[in-house]
Amino acid sequence: MPLTILSDEDVRILLHSLTRKDVLEIQQALADALHYYSTATDDEDNGCSAGYQPKRIHLKRQDGNTTLFMPASSNEGMGVKIVTLSDLCATTIRPPPPTISSPESVSPGASISSGTKSGSASSNSMKDALNLSPSNANSSPGSARSSLDVSGMSIEEPYTYKPHKPSRHTSTTPFDVPPDITPEMREMKGASTSPTGSLTLLNNDGTVRGLINAAEITAFRTALASTMLFKKRSNVHDITIFGGGKQAYWHARLSLLLRGSEIHHLNFLNRSFENVVSLLHDLYKIHWPVEIHHPNTTIITPMHTEYQRHLKSTIRASSVIFCTTPSTEPLFPPEYLTSSEGRKKGRYIAAIGSYAPHMIELHTDIIKQAVAPNHKHHHHKHAKQGGAIVVDSVDACLKEAGELIQAGLVGREVVELGELVMLKREAERRRKESHSSLDDDGVELKLGGGKKNGKEPADDDGLREWLEKGNVIYKSVGLGLMDVVVGAELVRLADAMGIGTRVANF
């Protein structure tokens, strides 16, 4: 086989060319690998088993950057991802608090400085700045972008994207996503928390099969795993995403690709308004080969004068929450979810942004409540708890996931995602037997199946109710196995689509 080389642009075009069917097939390949990782023993000689996965290495350099070496093995071959996290990646910069000289100096309804260069702007000014001429209504991949200056803006009310109905008119509304962004915004986006590096794939005989830019694939494979359980959720009407980088982008795109019109509202909470505007430009305005559903979309930032009120109402209304930030403090107060009112609704929460013991996105009270013994009789009606946190790797998360470490969790309080998903061959067999609980395609839940950590599993109906309707928290710190498996699938698709560069007889 030739060596396939995929640049960052190649990867972006390839990923945006994936149909829903393509995504489900790659997701199933990843689910199979995670299943073997969690269940295969050393005696089975399975390349995906935990015993075949070398430990990652962290190298902290004098310039403040950290380089990660992540070797991995799969049934198809081997690989290693080498990525560098800039010093910015490991530092969470929190926005400065509003500067108020004295209580008497602020009149009702007055604008408050947010610490930006230009101070704050009124909501009308913001809307005017975002109202663009029809000549720049859309962009295509790689097209030139005109100037739109939104620097220094604060938000006096949530910025909401409202999709337009088909019309002969081409004008945009003040709430439309800007089709063009400034070079300054692009530079800001480039200086994000995304890792840079490459993924090298080897065949089982050691020959090089692929060389892939890792900037985009890291976020894609993480979102691919996060959306496995999301795919089976009964309610995905309201999705909230913390963050504005590549992880946030791919969680949004895959969610919209997998569940489409079932998603009614998409909310972004991020300290940088400009970063989310840039994200939405890429999500909605660029004509990618495969387009996605456009739900009502809202941006909320801490600069909002009523941020806490909007934060609480948004969290309470959400049926799905994706946390994608390297935060060192909880993203919202725990009582939003731990109170009787907060527990009435079942939610799926995926926390993938924190990757070190000192980082934390979810308050430990939320984690502790999720693993508390489930009492059948409540004075108030509560959504079902599973008594465990779902993780990609028990060993890795108990050593690196700040939420679990700070909450003091132990092995019996976590369960690996690979133990909850069904192998492709098993799902296909059950579909032929006409199991009504299975979808037409894609990853399925594996219910029952013996003891886990010395405990009998819940009955199938109870486990299904928890995973599909209850409060489920998924925590991931990432596995090299994910990169190798997803990378191999992307190389296969790239060869079929003619994307990238091929070198014969390397």
Side-chain angles (χ1 to χ4, degrees):
M1 290 185 181
L3 164 65
T4 298
I5 302 174
L6 299 177
S7 67
D8 184 43
E9 186 65 19
D10 292 333
V11 174
R12 282 174 58 82
I13 293 176
L14 174 60
L15 294 181
H16 288 89
S17 300
L18 299 178
T19 63
R20 183 178 186 274
K21 181 180 179 182
D22 294 330
V23 170
L24 289 175
E25 289 179 352
I26 301 174
Q27 196 174 56
Q28 182 65 69
L30 179 58
D32 284 1
L34 291 176
H35 178 83
Y36 289 130
Y37 172 83
S38 298
T39 62
T41 63
D42 293 341
D43 296 337
E44 296 179 35
D45 194 30
N46 189 294
C48 295
S49 68
Y52 277 88
Q53 308 307 318
K55 293 183 179 180
R56 71 180 72 182
I57 299 174
H58 298 71
L59 177 62
K60 182 76 172 181
R61 302 209 309 263
Q62 291 184 351
D63 59 5
N65 295 336
T66 300
T67 298
L68 278 66
F69 300 83
M70 301 176 64
S73 166
S74 73
N75 288 326
E76 304 300 325
M78 302 156 287
V80 58
K81 185 174 74 172
I82 304 175
V83 293
T84 295
L85 306 173
S86 68
D87 188 47
L88 176 64
C89 295
T91 305
T92 301
I93 305 174
R94 305 190 68 81
T99 54
I100 304 175
S101 56
S102 66
E104 293 79 8
S105 65
V106 182
S107 59
S111 181
I112 299 177
S113 171
S114 62
T116 58
K117 291 182 180 179
S118 304
S120 60
S122 68
S123 58
N124 289 334
S125 299
M126 179 190 71
K127 295 173 186 177
D128 292 340
L130 294 175
N131 192 13
L132 303 171
S133 62
S135 60
N136 293 326
N138 292 288
S139 301
S140 59
S143 65
R145 296 177 171 87
S146 64
S147 176
L148 168 67
D149 185 10
V150 294
S151 61
M153 290 185 180
S154 68
I155 306 173
E156 298 301 324
E157 60 183 67
Y159 169 85
T160 302
Y161 167 79
K162 297 182 179 179
H164 302 301
K165 296 179 180 179
S167 171
R168 294 181 181 179
H169 302 287
T170 58
S171 62
T172 60
T173 71
F175 291 101
D176 200 2
V177 176
D180 300 297
I181 55 180
T182 65
E184 290 77 12
M185 289 172 66
R186 275 293 172 196
E187 290 178 6
M188 182 183 300
K189 186 178 180 183
S192 67
T193 58
S194 300
T196 57
S198 64
L199 169 64
T200 302
L201 300 175
L202 308 173
N203 295 315
N204 281 322
D205 61 2
T207 56
V208 183
R209 178 67 181 93
L211 181 61
I212 308 174
N213 186 293
E216 207 81 23
I217 191 176
T218 301
F220 174 77
R221 58 83 156 152
T222 303
L224 204 63
S226 296
T227 51
M228 283 185 193
L229 295 180
F230 164 83
K231 170 184 173 290
K232 298 295 295 183
R233 296 293 294 183
S234 61
N235 178 7
V236 295
H237 293 170
D238 296 88
I239 297 180
T240 294
I241 300 178
F242 285 89
K246 291 184 183 294
Q247 293 283 7
Y249 177 86
W250 280 108
H251 278 80
R253 182 171 175 86
L254 290 186
S255 296
L256 294 170
L257 195 61
L258 291 173
R259 301 299 293 266
S261 59
E262 295 178 77
I263 300 172
H264 302 164
H265 300 95
L266 181 60
N267 308 300
F268 287 91
L269 289 94
N270 192 51
R271 63 175 178 267
S272 170
F273 172 70
E274 291 85 354
N275 279 8
V276 182
V277 170
S278 176
L279 182 155
L280 293 180
H281 170 274
D282 290 355
L283 190 66
Y284 294 144
K285 285 297 179 179
I286 296 181
H287 286 306
W288 297 112
V290 175
E291 296 188 354
I292 55 175
H293 171 64
H294 293 193
N296 289 334
T297 302
T298 301
I299 303 173
I300 305 175
T301 79
M303 291 184 293
H304 194 296
T305 54
E306 296 188 35
Y307 174 70
Q308 291 299 329
R309 180 175 66 84
H310 286 296
L311 175 64
K312 182 177 181 179
S313 62
T314 300
I315 293 296
R316 286 278 176 87
S318 298
S319 49
V320 178
I321 301 173
F322 292 119
C323 303
T324 70
T325 72
S327 179
T328 56
E329 297 179 15
L331 298 175
F332 54 89
E335 55 269 19
Y336 290 179
L337 299 183
T338 59
S339 65
S340 294
E341 185 66 27
R343 297 176 66 185
K344 289 181 179 179
K345 185 174 186 176
R347 297 176 182 85
Y348 174 61
I349 305 175
I352 59 87
S354 57
Y355 54 87
H358 71 285
M359 294 179 175
I360 183 170
E361 295 181 291
L362 300 176
H363 196 283
T364 55
D365 287 354
I366 298 175
I367 301 297
K368 292 176 181 178
Q369 186 181 81
V371 300
N374 188 22
H375 301 291
K376 294 184 178 180
H377 301 288
H378 294 285
H379 180 67
H380 301 283
K381 184 179 180 181
H382 294 160
K384 187 176 181 63
Q385 301 281 5
I389 304 296
V390 183
V391 298
D392 53 356
S393 168
V394 170
D395 291 339
C397 283
L398 290 182
K399 293 177 182 177
E400 300 174 8
E403 291 91 348
L404 308 192
I405 294 172
Q406 295 180 38
L409 264 60
V410 294
R412 67 176 181 274
E413 296 170 318
V414 292
V415 59
E416 288 181 345
L417 177 61
E419 297 182 76
L420 301 176
V421 295
M422 195 181 297
L423 288 174
K424 180 179 180 179
R425 64 170 181 264
E426 183 180 352
E428 290 177 343
R429 176 182 61 80
R430 295 188 64 182
R431 288 190 182 104
K432 291 179 180 178
E433 297 173 356
S434 300
H435 282 261
S436 59
S437 61
L438 271 62
D439 298 331
D440 293 336
D441 51 12
V443 177
E444 293 293 341
L445 301 177
K446 181 178 178 63
L447 305 178
K451 294 184 178 181
K452 168 62 181 172
N453 294 325
K455 298 190 300 183
E456 292 290 343
D459 62 278
D460 285 6
D461 290 340
L463 182 58
R464 181 180 300 280
E465 181 186 358
W466 170 52
L467 293 175
E468 295 182 356
K469 300 179 181 180
N471 285 312
V472 178
I473 297 177
Y474 169 70
K475 177 62 194 177
S476 170
V477 294
L479 292 171
L481 175 63
M482 295 178 176
D483 299 302
V484 172
V485 172
V486 173
E489 291 295 311
L490 293 180
V491 166
R492 176 181 61 81
L493 288 170
D495 288 345
M497 296 180 184
I499 297 175
T501 303
R502 269 150 288 282
V503 180
N505 303 318
F506 177 76

